[in-house]
Amino acid sequence: MLQEILSKYQYLANPITLSVIGWLLLYLFFIFFIFFYRLFSLNSWIQKENDSLNGLLMGGMLSTNSSLNSCKERSEIVDKTILNACVEAAKKEAKKGLTFLSIVSSTAPFIGLFGTVVSILIAFSHMGNNTSLSLVAPAISEALIATAVGILVAIPAYSFHQILASKFEDLISILKMQRDFIVK
């Protein structure tokens, strides 16, 4: 069965093309994993911080679930410098995964293009003197699969990066509002 598929798509039997497609599929797995993991964790975190902010605005105390509460409890004197450090620590934690999504969204098309270029070069080298459209067209169309996979990976990576970056900004603005309310 595999032999039959590889003989039909002989240009996909190129180890470089298969490596590129495998690499991109691995990227695809990781971007979905990172996206859903970070989406659920950021949504939960935002909800906790929102509840804490609402408690502060209603005249209550800072919630024990708030990220700023641990900084407030550790220090005898709570000032803006300490709370700024806590906000910065929260930024660092909340940004996890965004860099990887950014890297994948920008490099995946180039990785796919690399696979396409190598496949086209190999296809042309196997053609020899017998060149016709019926020989060239299938080789080029099959070589373009790597570019298509690269674009297919880049689109969700970029979209997921933008969604998580928006969640990140929401979280940081809530933390800053809490900080400003505490310090007055």
Side-chain angles (χ1 to χ4, degrees):
M1 173 81 173
L2 181 62
Q3 203 68 331
E4 193 175 296
I5 292 171
L6 289 178
S7 67
K8 183 176 179 186
Y9 299 103
Q10 63 186 348
Y11 302 103
L12 288 180
N14 173 7
I16 300 287
T17 304
L18 291 176
S19 299
V20 164
I21 291 172
W23 185 357
L24 291 169
L25 291 177
L26 189 64
Y27 264 3
L28 191 63
F29 170 78
F30 279 117
I31 64 171
F32 274 95
F33 175 78
I34 288 169
F35 173 70
F36 286 112
Y37 176 75
R38 295 305 294 163
L39 181 68
F40 291 125
S41 63
L42 284 174
N43 279 339
S44 172
W45 194 356
I46 289 169
Q47 185 62 44
K48 287 178 189 176
E49 298 300 340
N50 246 339
D51 292 345
S52 180
L53 178 62
N54 287 335
L56 278 172
L57 294 175
M58 296 298 183
M61 298 289 291
L62 186 64
S63 170
T64 57
N65 291 334
S66 176
S67 300
L68 299 181
N69 189 48
S70 61
C71 289
K72 189 178 171 189
E73 288 179 348
R74 281 189 226 149
S75 179
E76 292 177 17
I77 300 170
V78 179
D79 63 356
K80 196 167 187 164
T81 307
I82 292 170
L83 292 175
N84 279 341
C86 289
V87 170
E88 289 302 315
K91 278 184 182 180
K92 185 178 179 183
E93 178 63 30
K95 267 191 163 181
K96 287 183 179 176
L98 284 176
T99 302
F100 181 76
L101 292 176
S102 177
I103 290 169
V104 170
S105 67
S106 62
T107 60
F110 294 114
I111 294 168
L113 188 60
F114 171 74
T116 297
V117 169
V118 170
S119 294
I120 288 174
L121 288 173
I122 291 171
F124 283 144
S125 71
H126 284 60
M127 286 182 194
N129 293 334
N130 296 341
T131 56
S132 69
L133 187 59
S134 62
L135 288 175
V136 174
I140 291 175
S141 67
E142 289 173 8
L144 289 173
I145 290 172
T147 298
V149 174
I151 293 168
L152 179 74
V153 170
I155 291 170
Y158 181 76
S159 301
F160 294 166
H161 177 271
Q162 294 301 313
I163 292 167
L164 292 178
S166 174
K167 296 286 183 187
F168 166 78
E169 292 300 326
D170 291 346
L171 175 66
I172 298 308
S173 68
I174 293 168
L175 287 170
K176 286 180 178 179
M177 284 188 275
Q178 288 182 58
R179 176 203 61 202
D180 293 343
F181 190 85
I182 292 169
V183 174
K184 295 180 189 178

